[in-house]
């Protein structure tokens, strides 16, 4: 399966433009400051078939996405938004989108790509604002 290439454990090494992205999303200043100081770990594991789990954690917060590729599911983001999330494969990328559960609001996307050295690059996009995050593969 194409998603299996993303399986593993990653540690964020760098992030650019995250504060502007969070501001565009409407995240309050306190949560933006916490987000700016966090360097999360990520793991992705295969459960069975198209069922996967992504775990993101810092010393302050953690979040788990337990999902089936291409199927929308209810989620609550770390900044408290209730969303309908879809995670799917597009070509050689893993694409994650969040629609407001109430149907009214902004729809960010997060695109995962593996670099030549198997490290992870995630691009956050919202209304023309782009944030790039680089993760080192640990296993």
């Amino acid at each position: 399966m194409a998603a299996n290439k993303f399986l593993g454990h990653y540690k964020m090494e760098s992030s650019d433009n995250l504060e502007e992205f969070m501001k565009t999303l409407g995240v309050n200043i306190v949560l933006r400051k916490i987000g700016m100081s966090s360097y999360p770990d990520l793991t992705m594991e295969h459960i069975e078939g198209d069922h996967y789990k992504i775990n993101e954690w810092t010393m302050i917060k953690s979040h788990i996405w337990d999902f089936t590729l291409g199927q929308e599911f209810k989620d609550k983001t770390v900044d408290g938004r209730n969303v309908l999330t879809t995670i799917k494969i597009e070509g050689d990328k893993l694409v994650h989108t969040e629609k407001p559960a109430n149907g009214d609001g902004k729809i960010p996307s997060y695109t995962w790509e593996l670099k030549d050295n198997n490290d992870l690059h995630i691009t956050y996009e919202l209304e023309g604002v782009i944030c790039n995050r680089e993760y080192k593969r640990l296993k």
Side-chain angles (χ1 to χ4, degrees), residues 21 25 27 38 49 55 77 80 83 85 118:
F21 176 85
L25 192 54
V27 176
S38 298
N55 186 6
T77 65
V83 296
T85 295
N118 265 341

Side-chain angles (χ1 to χ4, degrees), residues 70-127:
Q71 291 185 10
E72 188 174 78
F73 62 96
K74 292 179 183 178
D75 192 23
K76 186 165 191 160
T77 65
V78 293
D79 62 321
R81 291 174 295 118
N82 291 308
V83 296
L84 299 173
T85 295
T86 304
I87 300 173
K88 61 185 175 181
I89 293 292
E90 290 184 3
D92 61 349
K93 300 173 185 173
L94 187 73
V95 179
H96 167 178
T97 55
E98 297 170 343
K99 296 189 307 189
N102 67 3
D104 184 33
K106 299 178 180 189
I107 303 174
S109 68
Y110 311 88
T111 303
W112 292 37
E113 298 177 80
L114 289 179
K115 300 189 313 191
D116 290 338
N117 61 0
N118 265 341
D119 288 346
L120 178 65
H121 174 89
I122 304 178
T123 303
Y124 294 20
E125 294 183 63
L126 177 63
E127 297 179 350

Side-chain angles (χ1 to χ4, degrees), residues 1 3 44-54 64-74 84-89 94-97:
M1 300 195 150
M44 182 170 169
E45 62 182 290
H46 181 227
I47 307 303
E48 66 179 332
D50 284 343
H51 183 192
Y52 290 85
K53 186 184 292 187
I54 296 172
I64 295 174
W65 294 270
D66 191 340
F67 63 96
T68 300
L69 284 172
Q71 291 185 10
E72 188 174 78
F73 62 96
K74 292 179 183 178
L84 299 173
T85 295
T86 304
I87 300 173
K88 61 185 175 181
I89 293 292
L94 187 73
V95 179
H96 167 178
T97 55

